[in-house]
Amino acid sequence: MNTFDITLSPPVNLRDLGGIPIEGGTLRTGIAVRADDLATITESDASALVASGATAVIDLRSTGEVALTGRGPLAGQPAAYHHLPLMADVGEGMSHESMRDFSHESMGHMYVRMVEAAAPQLATALTVIALSPGATAFHCAAGRDRTGVLAAMLLLCLGASDDDIVTDYARTGTNMVAINERMRPTMGVILARLGFDLEQMAALTEVLTDQRMAVSMQILLTELRERHGDPLAPVRAAGLADASIARLRARALASV
């Protein structure tokens, strides 16, 4: 149940990953849908998402974020729900000191730590996508950072090139103004608890809305290879089976 009043609204950063080149062909639609916060979508959008083929939802938000808004209208829909937080607390590392180095580069390094620390959750999320009978919709708050990391791991499993992974990630850049406005009520509450105000939040997020956004994903992919050789190594070690990767690839290339 919601713990504060919030106006439900359509997602502004939702897209099917279909059409991205992968090993052996092109990722078909109806497998993976990435999005900004699906807990605050309207009833009609929740119904439309399920009607379009979504049978599972992966919620990458922290427990604290979920406590604010719950599952939202999707709780009343016939879609399996998987809460797999990639950060225990959205405020991890968000001290006033660390925010002075808030940049695309620092976000990229944070993504590397996320993959290594949350590898079990990522392995589970990829297995859910492999086994779901329909499309899996996955989201965090903005649909950029945690969602972008899971999208990157999925596309690596499917043999997508680094350039195509970076291109998909960077597509969110044009949506950031709308994303920031949409998530202002919920993130405003969370950041206020950390000692930030809305003006500070706007100043922080403005840093990440320029055209250099691709740098963060480039750093993630480069550093994972430098540290592990195989960029999927942490997730494999955490339980992602070869059989799950094979099923992902089979589903991705299957005829519509």
Coordinates of all heavy atoms in Angstrom, one line a residue, residues 145-189:
D145 N 20.1 3.4 -14.7 CA 21.2 2.9 -14.1 C 21.1 1.4 -13.8 O 21.7 0.5 -14.5 CB 21.6 3.7 -12.8 CG 21.7 5.1 -13.1 OD1 22.4 5.5 -14.1 OD2 21.2 6.0 -12.4
R146 N 20.3 1.0 -12.9 CA 20.1 -0.4 -12.5 C 19.5 -1.1 -13.7 O 19.9 -2.3 -14.1 CB 19.2 -0.5 -11.3 CG 20.0 -0.1 -10.0 CD 19.0 0.2 -8.8 NE 18.2 1.4 -9.0 CZ 17.4 1.9 -8.1 NH1 17.3 1.2 -6.9 NH2 16.7 3.0 -8.3
T147 N 18.5 -0.5 -14.3 CA 17.9 -1.1 -15.5 C 18.9 -1.2 -16.7 O 18.9 -2.2 -17.4 CB 16.7 -0.3 -16.0 OG1 15.7 -0.3 -14.9 CG2 16.0 -0.8 -17.2
G148 N 19.7 -0.2 -16.8 CA 20.7 -0.3 -17.9 C 21.8 -1.3 -17.6 O 22.2 -2.0 -18.6
V149 N 22.1 -1.6 -16.4 CA 23.0 -2.7 -16.1 C 22.5 -4.0 -16.4 O 23.1 -4.9 -17.0 CB 23.5 -2.6 -14.6 CG1 24.2 -3.9 -14.2 CG2 24.4 -1.4 -14.3
L150 N 21.2 -4.3 -16.0 CA 20.6 -5.6 -16.4 C 20.4 -5.7 -17.9 O 20.7 -6.8 -18.5 CB 19.2 -5.7 -15.7 CG 18.4 -7.0 -16.1 CD1 19.2 -8.2 -15.8 CD2 17.1 -7.0 -15.3
A151 N 20.0 -4.6 -18.6 CA 19.9 -4.7 -20.0 C 21.3 -5.0 -20.7 O 21.3 -5.8 -21.6 CB 19.4 -3.4 -20.6
A152 N 22.3 -4.5 -20.1 CA 23.7 -4.8 -20.7 C 24.0 -6.2 -20.5 O 24.6 -6.9 -21.4 CB 24.7 -3.9 -20.0
M153 N 23.8 -6.8 -19.3 CA 24.1 -8.2 -19.0 C 23.3 -9.1 -19.9 O 23.8 -10.1 -20.5 CB 23.8 -8.5 -17.6 CG 24.6 -7.8 -16.5 SD 26.4 -8.1 -16.7 CE 26.9 -6.6 -17.5
L154 N 22.0 -8.8 -20.2 CA 21.2 -9.5 -21.1 C 21.7 -9.5 -22.5 O 21.8 -10.6 -23.1 CB 19.7 -9.0 -21.1 CG 18.8 -9.6 -22.1 CD1 18.6 -11.1 -21.9 CD2 17.4 -8.9 -22.1
L155 N 22.1 -8.3 -22.9 CA 22.6 -8.2 -24.3 C 23.9 -8.9 -24.5 O 24.3 -9.4 -25.5 CB 22.6 -6.7 -24.7 CG 21.3 -6.1 -24.9 CD1 21.4 -4.5 -25.1 CD2 20.5 -6.7 -26.0
L156 N 24.8 -8.9 -23.4 CA 26.0 -9.6 -23.5 C 25.7 -11.1 -23.6 O 26.4 -11.8 -24.4 CB 26.8 -9.4 -22.2 CG 27.6 -8.0 -22.1 CD1 28.1 -7.8 -20.7 CD2 28.7 -7.9 -23.2
C157 N 24.7 -11.6 -22.9 CA 24.4 -13.0 -23.0 C 24.0 -13.4 -24.4 O 24.2 -14.5 -24.9 CB 23.2 -13.3 -22.1 SG 23.6 -13.4 -20.3
L158 N 23.3 -12.4 -25.1 CA 22.8 -12.7 -26.4 C 23.9 -12.4 -27.5 O 23.5 -12.5 -28.7 CB 21.6 -11.8 -26.7 CG 20.4 -12.1 -25.7 CD1 19.2 -11.2 -26.0 CD2 19.9 -13.6 -25.9
G159 N 25.0 -12.0 -27.1 CA 26.1 -11.7 -28.1 C 26.0 -10.4 -28.8 O 26.6 -10.3 -29.9
A160 N 25.4 -9.4 -28.2 CA 25.3 -8.1 -28.8 C 26.7 -7.5 -28.7 O 27.5 -7.7 -27.8 CB 24.3 -7.2 -28.1
S161 N 27.0 -6.6 -29.7 CA 28.3 -5.9 -29.6 C 28.3 -4.8 -28.6 O 27.2 -4.3 -28.2 CB 28.6 -5.2 -31.0 OG 27.7 -4.1 -31.2
D162 N 29.5 -4.4 -28.1 CA 29.6 -3.3 -27.1 C 28.9 -2.0 -27.7 O 28.2 -1.3 -27.0 CB 31.0 -3.0 -26.8 CG 31.6 -4.1 -25.8 OD1 30.9 -5.1 -25.6 OD2 32.7 -3.8 -25.3
D163 N 29.1 -1.7 -29.0 CA 28.6 -0.5 -29.6 C 27.1 -0.5 -29.5 O 26.4 0.5 -29.2 CB 29.0 -0.4 -31.0 CG 30.5 0.0 -31.2 OD1 31.1 0.5 -30.1 OD2 31.0 -0.1 -32.3
D164 N 26.4 -1.7 -29.8 CA 25.0 -1.7 -29.7 C 24.5 -1.7 -28.3 O 23.4 -1.1 -28.0 CB 24.5 -3.0 -30.4 CG 24.6 -2.9 -31.9 OD1 24.4 -1.8 -32.5 OD2 25.0 -3.9 -32.6
I165 N 25.2 -2.2 -27.3 CA 24.8 -2.1 -25.9 C 24.9 -0.7 -25.5 O 24.0 -0.2 -24.8 CB 25.7 -3.0 -25.1 CG1 25.5 -4.5 -25.4 CG2 25.4 -2.8 -23.6 CD1 26.5 -5.4 -24.7
V166 N 25.9 0.0 -25.8 CA 26.1 1.4 -25.5 C 25.0 2.3 -26.1 O 24.5 3.2 -25.5 CB 27.5 1.9 -25.9 CG1 27.6 3.4 -25.7 CG2 28.6 1.3 -25.0
T167 N 24.7 2.0 -27.4 CA 23.7 2.8 -28.1 C 22.3 2.6 -27.4 O 21.6 3.6 -27.2 CB 23.6 2.3 -29.6 OG1 24.8 2.6 -30.2 CG2 22.4 3.0 -30.3
D168 N 22.0 1.4 -27.0 CA 20.7 1.2 -26.3 C 20.7 2.0 -25.0 O 19.7 2.7 -24.7 CB 20.4 -0.2 -26.0 CG 19.2 -0.4 -25.1 OD1 18.1 -0.1 -25.6 OD2 19.4 -0.8 -23.9
Y169 N 21.8 1.9 -24.2 CA 21.9 2.6 -23.0 C 21.7 4.1 -23.2 O 20.9 4.8 -22.4 CB 23.2 2.3 -22.3 CG 23.5 3.2 -21.1 CD1 23.0 2.9 -19.8 CD2 24.4 4.3 -21.2 CE1 23.3 3.7 -18.8 CE2 24.7 5.1 -20.2 CZ 24.2 4.8 -18.9 OH 24.5 5.6 -17.8
A170 N 22.4 4.7 -24.1 CA 22.4 6.1 -24.4 C 21.1 6.7 -24.8 O 20.8 7.9 -24.7 CB 23.5 6.5 -25.4
R171 N 20.2 5.8 -25.3 CA 18.9 6.2 -25.8 C 18.1 6.9 -24.7 O 17.2 7.7 -24.9 CB 18.1 5.1 -26.4 CG 18.5 4.6 -27.8 CD 17.6 3.5 -28.3 NE 16.2 3.9 -28.4 CZ 15.2 3.1 -28.6 NH1 15.4 1.8 -28.8 NH2 14.0 3.6 -28.8
T172 N 18.4 6.5 -23.4 CA 17.7 7.1 -22.3 C 18.0 8.6 -22.1 O 17.2 9.3 -21.6 CB 18.1 6.3 -21.0 OG1 17.5 5.0 -21.1 CG2 17.5 7.0 -19.8
G173 N 19.1 9.0 -22.7 CA 19.5 10.4 -22.5 C 18.5 11.4 -22.9 O 18.3 12.4 -22.2
T174 N 17.8 11.2 -24.0 CA 16.8 12.1 -24.5 C 15.6 12.1 -23.6 O 14.8 13.1 -23.7 CB 16.4 11.8 -25.9 OG1 15.9 10.4 -26.0 CG2 17.6 11.9 -26.9
N175 N 15.4 11.2 -22.7 CA 14.2 11.1 -21.9 C 14.5 11.6 -20.5 O 13.6 11.7 -19.7 CB 13.8 9.6 -21.8 CG 13.4 9.0 -23.1 OD1 12.9 9.7 -24.0 ND2 13.6 7.7 -23.2
M176 N 15.7 12.1 -20.2 CA 16.1 12.3 -18.8 C 15.3 13.5 -18.2 O 14.9 13.4 -17.0 CB 17.6 12.6 -18.7 CG 18.5 11.4 -18.7 SD 18.0 10.1 -17.5 CE 18.0 11.0 -15.9
V177 N 15.0 14.5 -18.9 CA 14.2 15.6 -18.4 C 12.9 15.1 -17.9 O 12.4 15.4 -16.8 CB 14.1 16.8 -19.4 CG1 13.1 17.8 -18.9 CG2 15.4 17.4 -19.7
A178 N 12.2 14.3 -18.8 CA 10.9 13.8 -18.4 C 11.0 12.8 -17.3 O 10.1 12.7 -16.4 CB 10.2 13.1 -19.6
I179 N 12.1 12.0 -17.3 CA 12.3 11.0 -16.2 C 12.4 11.7 -14.9 O 11.8 11.4 -13.9 CB 13.5 10.2 -16.5 CG1 13.3 9.3 -17.7 CG2 13.9 9.4 -15.2 CD1 14.6 8.6 -18.2
N180 N 13.2 12.8 -14.8 CA 13.5 13.5 -13.6 C 12.2 14.1 -13.0 O 11.9 14.1 -11.8 CB 14.5 14.6 -13.8 CG 15.9 14.1 -14.0 OD1 16.2 12.9 -13.6 ND2 16.8 14.8 -14.6
E181 N 11.4 14.6 -13.9 CA 10.1 15.2 -13.5 C 9.2 14.1 -13.0 O 8.5 14.3 -11.9 CB 9.4 16.0 -14.7 CG 8.2 16.7 -14.3 CD 8.4 17.8 -13.3 OE1 9.6 18.4 -13.2 OE2 7.5 18.1 -12.5
R182 N 9.1 13.0 -13.6 CA 8.2 11.9 -13.2 C 8.6 11.3 -11.9 O 7.7 11.0 -11.0 CB 8.2 10.8 -14.3 CG 7.2 9.7 -14.0 CD 7.0 8.8 -15.1 NE 6.0 7.8 -14.9 CZ 6.2 6.6 -14.4 NH1 7.5 6.2 -14.2 NH2 5.2 5.7 -14.2
M183 N 9.9 11.2 -11.6 CA 10.3 10.5 -10.4 C 10.6 11.5 -9.2 O 10.9 11.1 -8.1 CB 11.5 9.7 -10.6 CG 12.8 10.4 -11.1 SD 14.1 9.2 -11.6 CE 15.2 9.5 -10.3
R184 N 10.3 12.8 -9.5 CA 10.6 13.8 -8.5 C 9.8 13.5 -7.2 O 10.4 13.7 -6.1 CB 10.2 15.2 -9.0 CG 10.4 16.3 -8.0 CD 10.0 17.7 -8.7 NE 11.0 18.0 -9.8 CZ 12.0 18.8 -9.6 NH1 12.3 19.3 -8.4 NH2 12.8 19.1 -10.6
P185 N 8.6 13.2 -7.2 CA 7.9 13.0 -5.9 C 8.5 11.9 -5.0 O 8.8 12.0 -3.8 CB 6.4 12.6 -6.3 CG 6.3 13.2 -7.6 CD 7.6 13.1 -8.3
T186 N 8.8 10.7 -5.6 CA 9.3 9.6 -4.9 C 10.8 9.8 -4.5 O 11.2 9.6 -3.3 CB 9.2 8.3 -5.6 OG1 9.8 8.4 -6.9 CG2 7.8 7.8 -5.7
M187 N 11.6 10.2 -5.4 CA 13.0 10.5 -5.1 C 13.2 11.7 -4.2 O 14.2 11.7 -3.5 CB 13.8 10.6 -6.4 CG 13.9 9.4 -7.3 SD 14.6 7.9 -6.3 CE 16.2 8.5 -6.0
G188 N 12.3 12.6 -4.3 CA 12.3 13.7 -3.4 C 12.2 13.3 -2.0 O 13.0 13.8 -1.1
V189 N 11.3 12.4 -1.7 CA 11.2 11.8 -0.3 C 12.5 11.1 0.1 O 13.0 11.3 1.2 CB 10.0 10.9 -0.3 CG1 10.0 10.2 1.1 CG2 8.7 11.6 -0.5

